[in-house]
Amino acid sequence: MPGKRLALLWLLAVSLLLGHNAWLWLGQRITPDTDILALLPVQERDPVLQQSFLHMVDAAQQRLVVLVGAEDWADAKKAADAYRAVLDTQPGMFASTPVNDKTQDDWLALFQRHRLALLTAEQEQRLRVEPAGHWEEAALGRMYNAFGGPKLGSWQDDPYGLFAGWMQERAQETPVRPRDGYLFVAEKGGAGSNPRQYVLLPMTLKVPAFSITAQDTVLPLLARAAEAARKAVPKVDLIPAGVVLHAAAASGQAHREMSTIGLGSLAGIVLLTWLAFHTLRPILLILLSIGVGCLGAFSVCWLLFGRVHLLTLVFGASLIGVAQDYGIYFLFNRMAADPALDSRALLKKLMPGLSLTLLAAVIGYMGLAFTPFPGLRAMAVFSALGLVFAWLTVICWFPPLLKGGALKPGALARGYGGLLRRWPSPRLNAPTLALAAVFAVAAGAGLMRLHPNDDIRLLQNSPKRLVQDQIRLGKLLDAPTPVQFYLVRGASEEEVLQREEALKLRLAPLVERGVIGGWQAMSNWVPSLRTQDSRRALLEEKLLAPDGPLRAVARQVEEDANWVAATVELQRAAGKPLTLQAFLDAPSSEPWRHLWLGRAEGVYASIVALRGMNYSGLPALRTAADGLAGVQWVDKVGEISTVLGRYRVYMGWVVLAAYGLVFALLLPRYRGRAWRVLAPTALASVATLAAVGYAGHSLQLFHVLGLMLLLGVGVDYGIFMQEQPDRRDATPWLAVGLSAANTILSFGLLGLSGTPALQAFGLTMLIGTALVWLLVPCFAYTDNKESDNGAAI
């Protein structure tokens, strides 16, 4: 009766899992997470640094930018109108700011009210060195020259052109210009070429970029808009870019791979199980254990993490090839056992081996949990839980469901089982030593070819077209990268702005050397109060003093002292300091608000972003902040690559430690034979790394993680064989064969993944599992009876 109660308790637990899954998928209509950032490591030791990265990325991920170009400006506008007309059919999807005279006036209004303190560094230097006559000529020139530059108000508002010059320098932060009510950017053409002219359509998504709703809606909408633009202007050049496009591509790929891997694994299991047993019942039982494992893992992961990433499900689809091991082992032993033997008694006999296989596999999967990547931790938990639930299903339900009737081997089982008698059994003799020497030399040569490369960019898998469009748009817009920047911190807003200004003095020579094209910073628009006070005092001394150049200008244009006083008073009226909060509240700050983090963890922080960065100059950028208090160079690409490299080495040691732990677990049961359980997996791991080297692939963290899981899977096969170390009994060999074939199938499909990390992981498992399968019989048997004290080869 204990077995019956156990089965009923497990039925209750599975019913709860099914109910929870039904509530999630049908009631809540949940969708897996597609945000790739959820897979990246969190900078837990520096929350401000982590917040700065997320702040930059959050600002970028909701943006969608489309360039609509043609050689003729009229055609570009015509195509852009057709494109925009389609987007306007979905007003709840995008937000955009119109471009007209009112928006431009609103944009300038704030700065005109504070223009007295807004000077460029070059203007400030000229004020210090140029005599009064220079400024007299400048004022007269602006008065009489109708083409002296942009007219931002009356002559008396800006007699020396200082504010106009400051605005021109701000305009250099982007090549985008207003034109005919549109935003305009031109392609840089060579001699004799006819460069395209583009209308810029910037939009902000009103729904999260990583939501399935956005991805399922945005792509068809953009496709219809592109079709309308091409219909209006057949030769139009369209350059769309945005995180939502990459997210949609990754989501579509993950869905396809999850279907391919999951359905392919299931189809392989069904076919091979049918060929092995020639009856439907074993197939249904194995599918039952796999189904409970996957549904249980999903439910518990959702309860633990509040979400499950789509790539976790893709990886979890490969779990199918492992979760069936326990059922297959039980079924083959049920087939070989005396029909009169009760299944519960058989389970009791098999329990030590089944428990060790589960423990070894969980150790292998949980090795992923030692990484700093939240996504990999979730994969580890998902997979380990899936194995536990599948194992419990076998333990609780298989005995009562197989209570009556014996299983009979199919043709595949009979034919494959006969191979065992012809399998080589190495001995400690000259041929074996020679073979070992050849293996050592060949493996050593392959390992010598291995070169680690932990660059996170090698793992990029966005479609080539999207990457090319992103690069083209970045060059045309001279856009900064959101993953490499300077983080500036201070005890107050004023201190942050002052430290930004100190940093910009360091960056100016790098612009001249071509290391960067420029920078974006809050202090470009809102100088520190110290700087504003200094500049107002300089203007008062050089230009607004009673004996300043305005008096000479008045004589030239035959005006009196009242005219001079009115002009000076008009200038001084714009001398009130510009505050950061006033700028942030103004419409003009919208493109730059992402540079200000505000108060975080007891400090104030901002971001200085770089334009036109030359990656060969990264060392100079790293050292530019040296010695500047509160200024830190942030290179998220380099940081993650460093983390990958550090954990590749760390996980290598974890793999070795796991071998030691597993050996300690095996030793009490197998004693002198324990090394035989581990030897096939260890040799297969070395051979797999050598194969990666011969193939010319770089060694990555994900190869090492594959070896960690290979330990868990390979030890299962070694345990199966050592539980019945008799070459005349083919039962464990049949279980190993069917389990390995299904594992190879599932991870072989994972090796076809378009996600490079999963591909490296899958190929490692594919090669390693195949080698373990071939090696495990060689270490399972000897002709001499083994004692508990040792084993002969």
Side-chain angles (χ1 to χ4, degrees):
M1 294 305 291
K4 186 176 181 180
R5 286 198 298 269
L6 191 63
L8 290 175
L9 285 174
W10 188 237
L11 177 62
L12 176 61
V14 171
S15 299
L16 293 174
L17 291 174
L18 289 174
H20 186 239
N21 270 271
W23 178 73
L24 288 175
W25 292 102
L26 302 177
Q28 298 296 304
R29 296 188 179 277
I30 56 100
T31 55
D33 188 9
T34 59
D35 185 355
I36 196 66
L37 296 178
L39 303 177
L40 298 182
V42 176
Q43 179 58 263
E44 296 173 347
R45 290 176 297 176
D46 193 343
V48 178
L49 176 58
Q50 179 67 15
Q51 184 178 331
S52 70
F53 171 65
L54 294 177
H55 188 80
M56 285 289 281
V57 172
D58 288 345
Q61 71 183 20
Q62 290 302 108
R63 294 177 187 167
L64 176 66
V65 178
V66 180
L67 289 178
V68 183
E71 293 185 354
D72 183 74
W73 174 239
D75 284 342
K77 292 191 294 182
K78 182 180 178 182
D81 289 339
Y83 197 100
R84 171 60 76 181
V86 175
L87 298 185
D88 288 343
T89 62
Q90 296 273 2
M93 186 59 61
F94 303 108
S96 58
T97 303
V99 181
N100 51 43
D101 290 341
K102 183 180 184 306
T103 56
Q104 293 182 61
D105 290 343
D106 291 344
W107 200 88
L108 288 171
L110 174 69
F111 303 113
Q112 286 177 324
R113 292 196 299 270
H114 302 275
R115 60 184 178 272
L116 189 65
L118 300 179
L119 298 174
T120 69
E122 181 184 357
Q123 288 171 340
E124 185 176 1
Q125 180 63 20
R126 288 200 344 248
L127 277 169
R128 296 185 186 281
V129 300
E130 296 289 353
H134 169 84
W135 299 105
E136 177 186 339
E137 293 175 5
L140 289 170
R142 280 183 55 80
M143 180 179 288
Y144 292 118
N145 185 1
F147 303 99
K151 297 301 185 290
L152 306 174
S154 67
W155 179 89
Q156 284 185 309
D157 287 340
D158 188 25
Y160 304 104
L162 296 175
F163 179 61
W166 182 84
M167 286 302 304
Q168 284 181 315
E169 185 178 83
R170 300 286 69 73
Q172 297 308 309
E173 294 191 19
T174 172
V176 179
R177 300 287 183 269
R179 180 179 178 184
D180 302 337
Y182 298 84
L183 291 176
F184 159 78
V185 65
E187 186 179 44
K188 294 180 181 179
S193 65
N194 192 10
R196 291 187 183 91
Q197 303 181 71
Y198 291 90
V199 173
L200 172 65
L201 300 177
M203 293 160 278
T204 302
L205 282 169
K206 293 183 178 180
V207 294
F210 288 102
S211 66
I212 300 297
T213 301
Q215 296 160 24
D216 289 346
T217 306
V218 168
L219 259 64
L221 184 62
L222 294 182
R224 293 199 304 271
E227 184 180 354
R230 291 191 179 96
K231 187 175 181 180
V233 180
K235 293 185 178 181
V236 67
D237 182 28
L238 298 173
I239 310 177
V243 171
V244 66
L245 304 179
H246 295 267
S251 177
Q253 175 182 292
H255 277 107
R256 290 190 299 272
E257 291 178 359
M258 187 168 59
S259 301
T260 301
I261 295 168
L263 294 177
S265 298
L266 281 175
I269 288 173
V270 169
L271 177 60
L272 291 172
T273 307
W274 172 260
L275 292 175
F277 294 100
H278 271 268
T279 182
L280 190 60
R281 186 163 49 164
I283 296 174
L284 295 177
L285 288 173
I286 289 175
L287 292 181
L288 176 65
S289 66
I290 292 171
V292 172
C294 291
L295 291 176
F298 186 87
S299 275
V300 178
C301 275
W302 192 274
L303 292 173
L304 290 175
F305 302 111
R307 60 181 180 177
V308 176
H309 199 279
L310 195 57
L311 283 182
T312 300
L313 296 183
V314 174
F315 183 83
S318 67
L319 174 67
I320 293 169
V322 182
Q324 39 83 42
D325 286 4
Y326 317 117
I328 286 174
Y329 184 59
F330 183 87
L331 289 170
F332 273 116
N333 278 276
R334 176 68 274 181
M335 182 179 69
D338 185 345
L341 179 65
D342 181 68
S343 291
R344 180 59 58 183
L346 175 63
L347 176 64
K348 186 176 181 180
K349 176 184 174 183
L350 300 177
M351 199 64 180
L354 282 172
S355 300
L356 283 173
T357 56
L358 174 66
L359 192 57
V362 168
I363 288 173
Y365 272 111
M366 292 309 294
L368 302 177
F370 285 91
T371 67
F373 297 87
L376 291 180
R377 291 174 183 170
M379 291 177 189
V381 174
F382 185 95
S383 301
L385 287 171
L387 293 180
V388 171
F389 283 120
W391 186 86
L392 286 171
T393 303
V394 172
I395 299 302
C396 298
W397 284 353
F398 275 36
L401 292 175
L402 282 171
K403 191 172 184 179
L407 296 173
K408 296 182 179 180
L412 177 64
R414 291 191 299 271
Y416 173 75
L419 292 175
L420 184 61
R421 291 188 296 272
R422 295 188 290 273
W423 213 267
S425 182
R427 302 173 186 275
L428 191 59
N429 53 26
T432 300
L433 293 176
L435 183 62
V438 170
F439 174 81
V441 171
L447 294 174
M448 292 294 290
R449 293 171 177 260
L450 276 178
H451 297 288
N453 189 341
D454 304 299
D455 193 334
I456 188 65
R457 286 169 290 202
L458 294 177
L459 304 181
Q460 187 177 26
N461 67 318
S462 291
K464 187 176 180 181
R465 174 184 53 81
L466 287 181
V467 175
Q468 290 174 339
D469 284 347
Q470 192 79 43
I471 292 172
R472 288 183 64 198
L473 184 137
K475 289 181 178 178
L476 284 166
L477 300 185
D478 195 18
T481 170
V483 294
Q484 288 159 319
F485 52 85
Y486 290 98
L487 174 63
V488 183
R489 295 180 243 204
S492 63
E493 295 177 354
E494 172 68 8
E495 188 171 53
V496 171
L497 294 174
Q498 289 181 19
R499 288 175 171 178
E500 279 191 10
E501 290 167 348
L503 173 63
K504 290 191 295 185
L505 293 176
R506 296 273 189 93
L507 295 179
L510 300 183
V511 175
E512 298 174 3
R513 289 163 46 189
V515 175
I516 55 174
W519 57 78
Q520 294 178 352
M522 266 300 165
S523 56
N524 287 358
W525 301 91
V526 185
S528 67
L529 295 178
R530 182 180 67 182
T531 297
Q532 292 187 57
D533 290 342
S534 171
R535 287 173 175 173
R536 277 197 308 274
L538 184 63
L539 284 167
E540 285 282 354
E541 176 188 351
K542 297 290 186 178
L543 301 182
L544 302 183
D547 57 346
L550 274 179
R551 190 170 298 279
V553 172
R555 289 195 299 269
Q556 291 278 353
V557 297
E558 298 181 351
E559 293 287 353
D560 58 15
N562 291 332
W563 179 86
V564 174
T567 302
V568 169
E569 189 60 31
L570 191 61
Q571 289 293 300
R572 287 173 175 164
K576 186 178 179 181
L578 173 61
T579 64
L580 183 61
Q581 191 58 52
F583 175 64
L584 292 173
D585 293 340
S588 52
S589 68
E590 194 277 331
W592 323 108
R593 286 174 191 156
H594 65 281
L595 299 175
W596 184 249
L597 273 69
R599 189 172 180 83
E601 302 295 328
V603 299
Y604 290 87
S606 71
I607 289 166
V608 175
L610 304 177
R611 298 184 290 106
M613 191 165 63
N614 185 339
Y615 286 96
S616 63
L618 278 177
L621 293 171
R622 290 191 191 99
T623 58
D626 289 352
L628 289 180
V631 180
Q632 179 181 2
W633 167 248
V634 177
D635 181 0
K636 198 64 178 179
V637 172
E639 176 194 336
I640 296 175
S641 298
T642 300
V643 170
L644 285 173
R646 186 168 67 249
Y647 275 86
R648 173 179 49 77
V649 176
Y650 169 72
M651 286 306 299
W653 289 109
V654 170
V655 170
L656 293 177
Y659 270 90
L661 176 60
V662 171
F663 183 79
L665 291 171
L666 297 173
L667 196 57
R669 179 163 180 81
Y670 301 112
R671 300 183 67 80
R673 293 182 287 129
W675 71 273
R676 290 180 175 273
V677 179
L678 283 175
T681 306
L683 291 174
S685 298
V686 173
T688 299
L689 288 178
V692 171
Y694 280 120
H697 294 171
S698 300
L699 181 64
Q700 303 170 11
L701 169 65
F702 300 95
H703 291 114
V704 181
L705 295 178
L707 296 181
M708 188 75 195
L709 181 54
L710 181 63
L711 170 62
V713 173
V715 168
D716 282 2
Y717 306 154
I719 291 173
F720 289 167
M721 299 298 285
Q722 290 301 321
E723 281 297 300
Q724 292 161 295
D726 186 348
R727 188 178 284 269
R728 292 169 296 181
D729 185 356
T731 302
W733 173 236
L734 291 171
V736 168
L738 189 56
S739 296
N742 288 328
T743 302
I744 288 171
L745 177 63
S746 61
F747 282 103
L749 291 172
L750 192 63
L752 299 177
S753 171
T755 304
L758 294 181
Q759 185 184 71
F761 194 98
L763 288 175
T764 302
M765 283 296 299
L766 170 65
I767 299 170
T769 303
L771 291 174
V772 173
W773 185 7
L774 295 174
L775 289 170
V776 73
C778 300
F779 291 86
Y781 310 103
T782 66
D783 290 338
N784 300 322
K785 184 71 176 176
E786 296 180 1
S787 69
D788 286 343
N789 297 322
I793 294 179

